[in-house]
Amino acid sequence: MTAKTILTVDDSPSMRMLLRIALTDLGYSVVEAEDGVHALEKLDGLEPDLLITDINMPRMDGFGLISEVRGQGRRGLPILVLTTESSDEKKQRARDAGATGWIVKPFHPDKLATAIRRVLH
């Protein structure tokens, strides 16, 4: 069985590293991008099982990325937002853009694993 692929999008190298460690420990294959523009480049020719994105990033933020991905017709791709933001307004905006779920940083690996299982199965 091939490992499920998760595309992580975060402008913080340390957060990408934490995510990579947590996700590979859980048995996932990880592809990293540093912002929304980079993520869209990575998505060209990649069919990940899940996208995890930050909201606040340069060039293209998480809201823009989610809208772009949904606009490309990738309706079935689960998108989890991983961010320090926890306001209901931001959550609603992410849902409106097409996000599947929300995880607040700093994340706990167990909570991350649970959120991933919830959207992948």
Side-chain angles (χ1 to χ4, degrees):
M1 189 175 115
T2 337
K4 296 217 181 263
T5 301
I6 299 179
L7 174 61
T8 61
V9 190
D10 201 303
D11 55 324
S12 157
S14 56
M15 184 50 69
R16 287 198 307 272
M17 186 186 75
L18 285 170
L19 273 169
R20 184 174 61 241
I21 291 166
L23 294 170
T24 48
D25 282 355
L26 291 167
Y28 297 104
S29 165
V30 180
V31 177
E32 297 174 29
E34 59 206 28
D35 62 28
V37 173
H38 191 213
L40 290 172
E41 289 166 4
K42 293 272 186 182
L43 278 168
D44 191 24
L46 178 72
E47 290 292 334
D49 297 286
L50 172 65
L51 176 76
I52 299 178
T53 184
D54 186 17
I55 289 293
N56 302 312
M57 298 178 288
R59 295 203 301 166
M60 180 188 287
D61 68 8
F63 297 124
L65 174 61
I66 295 166
S67 296
E68 279 291 317
V69 168
R70 293 302 186 220
Q72 291 176 353
R74 291 175 187 256
R75 299 260 170 244
L77 174 63
I79 300 176
L80 287 177
V81 175
L82 177 65
T83 180
T84 53
E85 302 279 356
S86 59
S87 76
D88 289 339
E89 182 263 332
K90 290 267 170 63
K91 286 183 184 174
Q92 189 56 52
R93 205 176 141 199
R95 270 196 297 271
D96 291 346
T100 316
W102 191 274
I103 306 164
V104 177
K105 292 177 192 172
F107 68 90
H108 189 282
D110 291 346
K111 281 204 173 76
L112 181 67
T114 303
I116 291 170
R117 275 197 303 272
R118 204 167 43 233
V119 298
L120 281 184
H121 301 296

